[in-house]
Amino acid sequence: MSQEIQSRASNEVLQEIIRSIDLLRFGSIEITVHDGRVTQIERREKVRFNNDIQKQKAANNTVAA
């Protein structure tokens, strides 16, 4: 593989990793490598709910009504 193709592929992989990080608020990114090359990037996002905030909003809505 020529240096130019390797460099371009590496840039594409790096751009995808950066994009995955930018899109992620809470979670993880898994990078799979085979024979020294990135073959897969997985992004897992967590959605969390804070019950205290939800209870506070509910209480505020009850008072306002």
Side-chain angles (χ1 to χ4, degrees):
M1 183 181 292
S2 75
Q3 185 66 27
E4 181 182 328
I5 293 172
Q6 274 185 325
S7 178
R8 185 181 54 140
S10 296
N11 287 337
E12 289 176 34
V13 169
L14 289 174
Q15 289 300 316
E16 186 59 34
I17 291 170
I18 291 168
R19 186 180 80 79
S20 294
I21 292 169
D22 286 343
L23 293 173
L24 191 65
R25 291 192 60 213
F26 299 99
S28 61
I29 297 171
E30 181 178 328
I31 301 167
T32 304
V33 178
H34 288 284
D35 294 326
R37 297 179 61 202
V38 174
T39 58
Q40 182 172 310
I41 300 170
E42 287 185 52
R43 187 177 76 240
R44 289 188 212 107
E45 184 143 0
K46 308 290 183 188
V47 177
R48 296 184 179 169
F49 302 97
N50 185 336
N51 288 334
D52 293 337
I53 291 173
Q54 289 175 346
K55 287 178 186 176
Q56 185 179 21
K57 284 182 180 179
N60 289 341
N61 287 339
T62 304
V63 172

